[in-house]
Structures are given as structure tokens and as C-alpha cells.
Amino acid sequence: MIYQVYPRSYADANGDGVGDIAGIRAQLGHLRDLGVDAIWMSPWYPSPMADAGYDVADFRDIDPAFGTLTEAEALIEEAHAAGIRMIVDIVPNHISSEHPWFKAALADEKAKERDYFWFRPGRGENGDEMPTDWRGEFGGTTWTRTGDGSWYLHLFTPEQPDLNWDHPDVRAEFESILRFWFDRGVDGIRIDSAALLLKDPQLPEVLEDNPHPFHDLDGVHEVYRAWRRVADSYGGNRALIGEVWMPEVERFANYLRPDELHAAFNFDFLGCAWDPRLMRECVDRTLDAHKAVGAPATWVLSNHDVTRHVTRYGREDTTFSFDNNLDGTPVDLELGTRRARAAALLSLSLPGATYIYQGEELGLWENENIPPEQFQDPMWGRRGHSRDGCRVPLPWTGDEAPFGFTTATPWLPQPAEWKDRTVQAQTGDPNSMLELYRSAIALRRTESFADFSWLELGRDVLAFCRGQDFACVVNMSGAPIALPANQSVLLASGPLDGDRLPPDTAVWLRMTS
Ligand code: GLC
């Protein structure tokens, strides 16, 4: 089980309202008690923070807001001592406009760094029209004009110029960055926007029947084969995990071929509705695709980019997609929480690796009441949705904000109702989300979790076995259901109704026949 730490919002030790490495080190015990196998650390490098650190100015250092490289090295060591592996986040598609390469490229048209990016003349008589009409990943345009009249490409914000992956220096630089972190003991790399790196140099428009000019170009696989060689040169225990948003599951699986990435996030599962038929299809699709390439599946419910699933599952439309903005639609948090508890048991017993986004283990919901003037996410203003609602600092202790996160004002406001969701309030309460996660993760460690097979318990029930003696049953119907015979309950996501399983509730069973 891999736990995503979003460093700005985990714990603040220096009292400036923003989380930091010292805070993570001070609260490492929480992750040890939870039983995490690895931490994925969202970017902590020096950055102007135009996109919360996904605009990196120097991949070989730490932003002063988070601490120092020495502290990062100490955290890696302490995590290892606690039996926790460390995964860092590398952002290869683009860098910060404050990175020395981009500054050099802007300063001199003849600089070699110019070719590390996508500088192009504009269209139209005066060159004042953008080279293409490509739409950005956050919405909006993808080109910005510079002082000398040329334009540069940025699939995200203008502060995140895209790198030219056809250039050997770019490739060499990133391989060297991988080594830099592997040399510091890091066990894995999360690869940001992994499918976007290559662009069609002819810059064609995006047309329905033509190959996409920047999504999933075949050449990208050569990049990851080279990265795999770097990872393997460290003895075979360093992992590469891709952020690959891809509707076609076969194309997705191509990234997981034996000489490429070890794993990739399962956004199909994350975006899937709370619906037994769709969920079952998604699980089948996932397992089939991974089997074909011999890679482990992943199960992801939330991350720093998407609406927290307690909120999603409490809405009428329980899907997630950036193109379907559901902000402000009615939410039943009690229902969402019940389903999130069931989803925890589901995602922790399917075959493969489970990812947990910080706060998920506390049952946090999306803060939909942040005043827009406090939004920091560049997606706000481009897509009319802010990802800040899922990035709110964690509540640790006490009855009032900032709930032990900081001694100052947190960088984003926490809901007052989180007083019941602090680590302190939930610890020792057998009905809390936190204790459910702790029990499930502890049990998962002792289970052998053999072969997966579906168990047929009715159309609206998701049930499966792992080997002969373990089963997970999730009741997605509107009424209580009978549990199978010859079993005892190992763990339940909520109270049972006599010996029946209520709606939106999951159990882990020991099968004895
Ligand atoms: C990824 C990150 C997201 C970031 C974007 C640009 O999708 O998860 O937070 O904004 O890439 O780097």
C-alpha cells in the first residue's frame, strides 16, 4: 500500500502555515502505525509554485518552503528505518519558466537551450496567431508569445514550458536526475503526465480521425525503456510508476510492458461510478489488461487532482471526470462516507497495489467552501474548477482549526466539522475510518491473498474470493443481502443487519467450507 504525501498539507513544523519535511518527519509515526509500505512524495523541489510545485526550477534540491536537501535525505533514511520505501515525483513533460534552461532560452535566440523547448514562429501575416489551436490540459491556449515575437508551447500554464523530448540533452538530463535520487536511496519514481512527452514536430491540429499530436505518441516508450535501464542498473528494486490518463486500456497497458514502467495509476477505477455492473467491468478490464503484460494492477480512489471520494460517492452522479464539473451539486456526506468505507475494503483486497491519498484514511471530504479568492490552483480560471478542495491541510489534534497542522493560519482553510476527523479523535475509536484502515491494512499483511475469482451473489453485489478461504463482498444494492454460508466476518465496513449485509457496506470473510 502506497501513501501519497502532499507535502504542503501534511504537517507544518516551522509555523508558516505550509507543510514541510520537518513536519513529515515529526509525523512519520502516523504512517508507520497505518502500515504503509511506501510514501509517494508530491514535488518538493524549488519552484515558483505556479502549479503547486509541478513547475520545477531545480530537480536536485528542495524548496526552502519545505526544507533542505539534508532534511530530505534524513527523511529517506528515517522512512527506511521504519520499513517504508520512498517514491519521488518527477515531472518530465515541462519545467518551470524560472528554470535556468528556459531563462537561457529566452535570453538568447541562439542559445543551445532554445532547442530544449518548442519555440515556433506564429501564424498569420504578422506572426501574431498561435502556431496551433491545441487546447491545454487545464483548458485554455497552449502557446505564449515572447519578446522577440516567437511563441513557445506549454500544455499546462505559461509558467510550465514543455520540453522537447526529441533532444538528446533533455533525455540525458532526466536520466541523470533519476540517478541523483536513486543515489540518495529513493526506491521509486512517480512520473508526472507520462504520456505527453513526445509531440508531432509537424504540429498538426487535433482532428478526430488523425493520430493525436501530443497524447501517447509511440516514441514515448523509448524514453521509458531507457529509464527502465537506469532503474534496473540499481539492482532491480527501484520502481517506475506512471501517471497515464488513457481511455484505451490496451494503449495504457503498453506502458507496462516488461521493459518499461512497473506500474501506472488506474484512473479507470478512480473515475468509475459506484455501480456494481460498471465496477465489475472496470475490475475485469483492469485485470485483463495487466495480465496481458504481466504487470501488477493498481487501485486508486483519490489524489491531489481529483474531488475526494467521500464527496464523489455522496453525489447522485458518482463518476469523476475533469470534463464533467459537479462542483456544488448536492452531497450526502454520510452516504459518501459509508461508501468510502466499503471502497476501502474493496480496493485493499483486489489483486495489486493500493494507493491512498493523504486524508483518505481520515475520511476527509472535499472542502467545497473555500472562498474563491483563496484558490491557488491554476486550473481555477481555466476550467472553472479548483483542485484546492482536495488539498486542504490534514487535521491532527484538537477541536478547532488548524487542528494541530500548524501554529499559524493554514494555507487553505479546514472545515470546522473536521474536529471529528482528526487523527487524535479517531485513534482508538473502533468505528472510525482511521481504525478501519489500520485494521484492514494490518489484516492485508497477514492474508496470503491468492488467486482472484468472482463470487456470484446477485446482480448488484460485487463479491470475489482470493484463494479458497478469503472473500470480499460489497453490497451495492439498495437492500440488505444474505451473506454466503460457511464463513466468519474478519472485518466489516459498517454494522451488519443481523446476519445480513446492509447497502453500501463491505465485509471481508473467512470462508471455511
Ligand atoms: C499532473 C499532476 C498535476 C499537475 C499536472 C501538471 O497531472 O498530478 O497536479 O498539475 O500534472 O504537471
Side-chain angles (χ1 to χ4, degrees):
M1 188 274 287
I2 296 133
Y3 183 99
Q4 180 186 359
V5 170
Y6 195 69
R8 323 194 107 234
S9 298
Y10 187 78
D12 170 25
N14 70 355
D16 62 357
V18 173
D20 44 44
I21 297 177
I24 300 167
R25 290 172 68 192
Q27 297 287 16
L28 202 57
H30 173 60
L31 303 182
R32 199 193 41 227
D33 295 348
L34 191 60
V36 318
D37 299 309
I39 295 171
W40 149 29
M41 186 68 63
S42 274
W44 52 3
Y45 319 105
S47 164
M49 304 288 168
D51 184 16
Y54 283 90
D55 47 319
V56 179
D58 178 0
F59 275 104
R60 295 182 180 83
D61 205 349
I62 298 293
D63 194 278
F66 298 138
T68 63
L69 187 57
T70 312
E71 287 178 272
E73 287 168 343
L75 171 62
I76 296 169
E77 214 168 283
E78 287 160 11
H80 284 168
I84 300 172
R85 289 153 63 87
M86 284 288 296
I87 297 166
V88 296
D89 203 325
I90 297 290
V91 189
N93 180 68
H94 45 266
I95 55 178
S96 164
S97 50
E98 294 297 313
H99 188 287
W101 275 5
F102 194 69
K103 288 209 234 170
L106 276 191
D108 178 1
E109 258 180 82
K110 303 223 159 42
K112 71 171 188 318
E113 287 84 357
R114 191 88 171 174
D115 295 334
Y116 298 172
F117 300 92
W118 290 90
F119 282 92
R120 286 291 184 282
R123 291 179 298 182
E125 223 169 285
N126 308 313
D128 53 7
E129 292 167 31
M130 286 178 292
T132 69
D133 293 330
W134 296 354
R135 185 170 174 271
E137 297 294 306
F138 290 160
T141 59
T142 51
W143 297 89
T144 291
R145 201 167 193 189
T146 66
D148 65 30
S150 59
W151 299 75
Y152 69 89
L153 174 69
H154 49 83
L155 295 184
F156 294 90
T157 71
E159 293 81 15
Q160 294 164 292
D162 276 53
L163 288 165
N164 171 13
W165 275 86
D166 293 328
H167 201 294
D169 289 2
V170 171
R171 295 188 184 219
E173 171 67 359
F174 274 85
E175 287 172 31
S176 147
I177 292 166
L178 295 191
R179 287 198 184 89
F180 178 88
W181 287 104
F182 285 148
D183 287 343
R184 273 158 190 76
V186 156
D187 305 279
I189 306 285
R190 180 260 186 191
I191 307 162
D192 187 76
S193 304
L196 300 180
L197 273 47
L198 273 283
K199 278 96 197 172
D200 182 339
Q202 305 303 318
L203 305 186
E205 289 302 333
V206 178
L207 295 171
E208 209 161 320
D209 294 325
N210 292 1
H212 199 283
F214 58 86
H215 280 176
D216 188 36
L217 268 61
D218 288 337
V220 78
H221 295 287
E222 204 34 66
V223 173
Y224 298 129
R225 287 192 188 105
W227 287 27
R228 180 62 177 255
R229 288 192 290 274
V230 174
D232 286 350
S233 72
Y234 284 81
N237 57 357
R238 313 293 171 111
L240 302 173
I241 303 137
E243 187 207 15
V244 183
W245 291 88
M246 187 89 47
E248 302 88 21
V249 75
E250 296 76 24
R251 305 280 311 180
F252 172 88
N254 282 344
Y255 289 78
L256 303 176
R257 288 176 291 202
D259 58 347
E260 298 192 40
L261 309 184
H262 297 82
F265 300 111
N266 186 349
F267 294 118
D268 193 28
F269 183 68
L270 184 152
C272 185
W274 186 257
D275 173 288
R277 187 180 56 83
L278 296 175
M279 277 272 186
R280 182 170 171 155
E281 283 172 11
C282 169
V283 170
D284 278 335
R285 208 166 36 238
T286 300
L287 295 178
D288 287 350
H290 287 78
K291 202 168 164 197
V293 285
T298 67
W299 308 101
V300 189
L301 293 167
S302 280
N303 67 29
H304 66 293
D305 291 330
V306 308
T307 307
R308 282 192 178 272
H309 61 275
V310 164
T311 298
R312 280 188 349 246
Y313 288 159
R315 287 179 175 152
E316 194 180 337
D317 180 344
T318 51
T319 60
F320 178 81
S321 150
F322 286 113
D323 295 325
N324 181 21
N325 188 347
L326 298 169
D327 293 354
T329 57
V331 183
D332 177 344
L333 286 177
E334 220 174 285
L335 176 66
T337 302
R338 200 158 57 239
R339 290 176 171 171
R341 294 175 65 90
L345 295 197
L346 171 66
S347 66
L348 284 163
S349 56
L350 286 167
T354 308
Y355 285 76
I356 294 180
Y357 172 51
Q358 71 177 37
E360 176 178 331
E361 79 284 17
L362 303 177
L364 301 188
W365 58 84
E366 185 85 0
N367 184 359
E368 294 197 277
N369 295 315
I370 302 175
E373 59 275 13
Q374 289 188 39
F375 282 152
Q376 299 204 12
D377 180 15
M379 193 181 266
W380 174 250
R382 289 182 172 82
R383 279 199 171 196
H385 167 75
S386 168
R387 296 170 296 177
D388 290 318
C390 67
R391 298 175 175 179
V392 174
L394 292 189
W396 292 94
T397 55
D399 288 330
E400 279 173 24
F403 300 116
F405 166 74
T406 178
T407 50
T409 304
W411 72 281
L412 285 174
Q414 300 154 304
E417 298 83 357
W418 282 4
K419 66 178 194 313
D420 300 330
R421 306 268 164 155
T422 64
V423 173
Q424 187 182 45
Q426 297 193 47
T427 296
D429 172 358
N431 300 319
S432 70
M433 184 73 91
L434 179 57
E435 292 297 350
L436 176 72
Y437 268 91
R438 285 179 178 160
S439 306
I441 293 162
L443 250 174
R444 175 185 154 96
R445 288 200 161 188
T446 56
E447 285 298 319
S448 50
F449 276 174
D451 287 351
F452 172 93
S453 58
W454 290 111
L455 197 61
E456 302 303 340
L457 293 182
R459 219 173 40 137
D460 295 332
V461 181
L462 211 64
F464 54 86
C465 292
R466 300 294 311 273
Q468 298 298 319
D469 68 346
F470 179 95
C472 173
V473 181
V474 190
N475 182 3
M476 293 186 165
S477 76
I481 57 156
L483 287 171
N486 298 324
Q487 48 79 15
S488 55
V489 175
L490 292 170
L491 190 60
S493 71
L496 299 191
D497 175 356
D499 52 6
R500 295 187 310 161
L501 184 66
D504 298 312
T505 307
V507 276
W508 282 359
L509 302 175
R510 171 69 69 234
M511 310 298 281
T512 47
S513 74

